Amino acid sequence: VQNALKKTVSVFGKLDVVFNAAAYPDPLLPAHELDVEVWRKTFDVNVTGMFIVTKYAIPFMKAAGGGHIINVSSRGSIPPGPGPYTEEQRSRLGDLLYGPEKSALEHFSQRQAMAYQPDNISVNVLSPTGRVKTPGNIFFEKDPEKPDLDFETADAMGKATVWICEQPADAYTGNVVYDEDLVAEYQL
């Protein structure tokens, strides 16, 4: 991560935007069937990875006079609320790891937004309104004999990202927003 950031600055002169979108899939198992190492690996990628990139990007952004960090989340971060639960709600049991990881990402992001606002560094969270069939999103659903090549583009995510990065970093920070909502609200 440090070498990638240094290379970015050496090529482009500064670092002013970070877009954290790495993810590792949830194995869709209940807790008693989940291997502890799988738990650790998903948290390492989905939460610790975002922390590491943020940690090492901040000094470069401070040197540049500010910047924007956008962390990708999901509606999976929204807790299901109290039970009893319907069969449809229970079918989303796979959010055992992904939802809590995204909740942690959102909480971390808002705390970092508070911390770095004086440095003109915004930290915002952007979520797709729904699932976008990107190659990474459907990678583990592929049948090696018949791969699904019917990908979607994440146009609303792109438009929302550009809009966020056009906002003053010290004024638009700590937000948790959804791509299609932002696109509709600002007619992007």
Side-chain angles (χ1 to χ4, degrees):
V1 169
Q2 288 175 299
N3 288 337
L5 293 168
K6 286 177 187 173
K7 176 84 173 181
T8 299
V9 172
S10 73
V11 171
F12 296 103
K14 65 179 179 173
L15 178 69
D16 53 4
V17 174
V18 168
F19 189 85
N20 281 313
Y24 187 81
D26 190 323
L28 306 177
L29 297 170
H32 76 281
E33 294 177 20
L34 186 65
D35 184 76
V36 173
E37 288 308 310
V38 172
W39 170 279
R40 287 186 180 127
K41 184 170 187 166
T42 61
F43 266 86
D44 277 352
V45 173
N46 297 345
V47 181
T48 306
M50 176 265 316
F51 159 73
I52 290 169
V53 172
T54 299
K55 173 183 174 54
Y56 292 114
I58 291 295
F60 291 109
M61 290 185 152
K62 283 184 174 187
H68 301 273
I69 298 173
I70 299 174
N71 295 320
V72 176
S73 189
S74 162
R75 288 196 186 275
S77 68
I78 302 168
Y85 303 104
T86 66
E87 283 302 313
E88 181 181 344
Q89 289 170 310
R90 292 185 68 242
S91 73
R92 295 202 36 93
L93 183 63
D95 285 342
L96 175 70
L97 299 177
Y98 193 72
E101 290 162 353
K102 292 304 184 180
S103 294
L105 176 144
E106 291 181 8
H107 189 97
F108 175 85
S109 297
Q110 288 184 323
R111 292 295 183 177
Q112 297 315 293
M114 293 168 69
Y116 295 109
Q117 181 177 327
D119 297 305
N120 198 39
I121 298 171
S122 73
V123 183
N124 291 289
V125 175
L126 178 61
S127 295
T129 298
R131 181 175 185 222
V132 180
K133 286 179 56 179
T134 61
N137 191 300
I138 63 173
F139 179 79
F140 290 98
E141 295 176 4
K142 290 182 181 179
D143 175 352
E145 301 300 317
K146 297 179 193 173
D148 182 356
L149 301 176
D150 186 24
F151 305 132
E152 298 173 339
T153 57
D155 294 340
M157 287 292 283
K159 290 176 183 180
T161 298
V162 169
W163 184 88
I164 290 169
C165 292
E166 290 173 339
Q167 305 314 302
D170 63 343
Y172 193 84
T173 191
N175 297 280
V176 177
V177 294
Y178 295 92
D179 62 348
E180 290 178 13
D181 296 345
L182 203 63
V183 167
E185 181 177 350
Y186 295 101
Q187 301 175 350
L188 306 176

